[in-house]
Amino acid sequence: PGVISSPGLMLAINTLDSYQPNILSGGMHYQAGRWRTGVSVEWQEWSALEDELKNDTVKNNLGLEFDDIVIPRIGAEYYLNDTFTLTGGVAFEESPLANDVNPEVNYLDADRTVIGLGMSATFDHVYGLKHPLRLDFGYQYHLMEEREFQIVSSQPTALNNDVVETKGDVNVFAGSISMQF
């Protein structure tokens, strides 16, 4: 108090933690015998994040630009028997980040193809349980496409010509136990 004379210093800092865009999705599936296939399309409104960032008077939006994206998915299930099911699918997730230069934050992202495989086991009669027990195990492979970004700093002594590249792959294993009731 008293460091800055009246009316003071007006700051509006907008903290975003785990921003979630508006999402609309639709899909359909077809079942024939032991096979079930499905397709879906998801639209994500990332452009609204730019408006949220503009409310920050300290850093403004840092030059970040976002595009709305569409994510197509296709998948299939095969029922081996009453207990075991095999699943698989593929999706393409485009990066919502529109620009390759974003000063100060150096937010990096890339388009990716996601391939998933899994197996489910549903046990209808488990001793001591009234409801069915389901075990799931899945694997996902994410292939990150190559994309270059220029690293930028507002510091006068910084070299602003560094270029970094995003690319690579990610392997994800997941499992779950659930009761259906």
Side-chain angles (χ1 to χ4, degrees), residues 29-117:
H29 83 274
Y30 175 76
Q31 187 166 352
R34 294 176 176 245
W35 284 95
R36 185 168 77 153
T37 59
V39 295
S40 71
V41 177
E42 182 176 292
W43 172 80
Q44 297 181 357
E45 186 187 20
W46 284 96
S47 59
L49 179 56
E50 287 180 41
D51 296 333
E52 292 288 332
L53 292 173
K54 286 179 184 173
N55 293 330
D56 184 341
T57 60
V58 176
K59 291 281 189 179
N60 197 352
N61 71 346
L62 298 165
L64 293 173
E65 297 173 6
F66 296 92
D67 289 331
D68 298 338
I69 61 170
V70 175
I71 301 173
R73 295 183 176 96
I74 186 167
E77 284 184 332
Y78 180 72
Y79 297 95
L80 292 171
N81 53 39
D82 289 341
T83 303
F84 295 100
T85 304
L86 298 175
T87 59
V90 65
F92 178 73
E93 298 180 10
E94 185 179 6
S95 171
L97 185 60
N99 51 341
D100 296 337
V101 177
N102 41 63
E104 295 303 319
V105 291
N106 294 317
Y107 175 61
L108 312 175
D109 195 16
D111 298 344
R112 74 186 76 208
T113 301
V114 181
I115 301 167
L117 299 171

Side-chain angles (χ1 to χ4, degrees), residues 114-139:
V114 181
I115 301 167
L117 299 171
M119 179 177 236
S120 298
T122 303
F123 302 100
D124 292 327
H125 305 287
V126 176
Y127 180 76
L129 298 177
K130 182 177 179 180
H131 300 287
L133 180 71
R134 180 174 166 147
L135 304 173
D136 292 287
F137 179 76
Y139 166 75

